[in-house]
Amino acid sequence: GGGGHGEALGIQQQGCAADSGGIAPAFQNVVKGPVNTSKIGSFEEEGEDVIDEAISFYRANVLFRNYEIHGGADRILLYLTLYISACLAKIEKTPNPKEAEKALQMMAFETFALPGQAGFPFNAFFDKAERHEDLEELKAYMKQLREETGQRVCKVGFTP
C-alpha cells in the first residue's frame, strides 16, 4: 500500500459529523454547513485537514492502482480525489478565477449521489445511512465538503 493516507498522516478524526460512522472527518471551512470548526477548536497549529491532504496528494493518489482503506478519513480522501478530478476538468475550460469559482460553486450544489445510492462511485467502501436523518446530515456534510474543496481547488488552480 502507498503512504500518505488519512490516519497515516494524523488527519483530524475528532469533530466527525454526528452518527456518520466516523466517515466524516472535520475540516477547516468558510462555507456554511454541519462542520463548524469554531465548535471543535482551531486547526491553526494542527496542520492539514482532509481537503488539504486530498489536494496535496492528488497526483500520487490518482496514480495508485490499489488504495488501502483504514478508516473514515481514507474514504473521504478517495471521494475527494475523484471530486478534485471533476473540479479540474471543470475549471480547465474557464477563462479566469472568478468564472472558475462560479462553475465550481454550481457544481457543488448539483444533485449528487450519496453512499448507498445508485450512482455513488464508491458504494463498496461506504456504509449506507439507515435513517433519513443520517442521510440528510451526510448530504449536508458532503455538500459542504464539495463546496469547500471547490474553493480551495480554485485557489490552487489559479495561483501563478
Side-chain angles (χ1 to χ4, degrees), residues 27-125:
F27 50 89
Q28 300 174 65
N29 57 77
V30 292
V31 298
K32 282 190 175 11
V35 177
N36 180 348
T37 46
S38 65
K39 284 188 198 158
I40 54 173
S42 166
F43 273 86
E44 256 96 48
E45 60 282 312
E46 296 180 31
E48 294 191 331
D49 64 15
V50 71
I51 298 172
D52 293 328
E53 187 178 333
I55 292 170
S56 298
F57 289 94
Y58 174 75
R59 278 200 184 104
N61 286 342
V62 167
L63 299 175
F64 280 132
R65 193 178 299 247
N66 298 319
Y67 193 92
E68 288 177 36
I69 303 289
H70 296 290
D74 288 334
R75 290 183 185 94
I76 295 300
L77 280 172
L78 189 62
Y79 178 80
L80 284 177
T81 300
L82 186 68
Y83 189 70
I84 290 166
S85 291
C87 288
L88 292 172
K90 185 75 112 181
I91 66 173
E92 195 175 49
K93 302 168 191 77
T94 57
N96 58 52
K98 199 124 193 87
E99 289 301 310
E101 206 169 307
K102 202 186 311 180
L104 293 185
Q105 180 81 16
M106 284 170 54
M107 192 166 100
F109 286 111
E110 285 170 6
T111 303
F112 57 94
L114 292 167
Q117 296 178 337
F120 186 76
F122 304 111
N123 275 329
F125 302 110

Side-chain angles (χ1 to χ4, degrees), residues 96-153:
N96 58 52
K98 199 124 193 87
E99 289 301 310
E101 206 169 307
K102 202 186 311 180
L104 293 185
Q105 180 81 16
M106 284 170 54
M107 192 166 100
F109 286 111
E110 285 170 6
T111 303
F112 57 94
L114 292 167
Q117 296 178 337
F120 186 76
F122 304 111
N123 275 329
F125 302 110
F126 284 81
D127 293 330
K128 183 180 178 204
E130 296 300 324
R131 297 182 5 236
H132 179 72
E133 302 81 56
D134 296 340
L135 192 65
E136 287 305 307
E137 191 165 322
L138 186 59
K139 183 195 241 170
Y141 173 84
M142 298 290 270
K143 186 171 157 294
Q144 185 184 13
L145 188 71
R146 289 163 61 103
E147 199 178 347
E148 187 72 35
T149 301
Q151 287 187 6
R152 294 198 208 167
V153 166

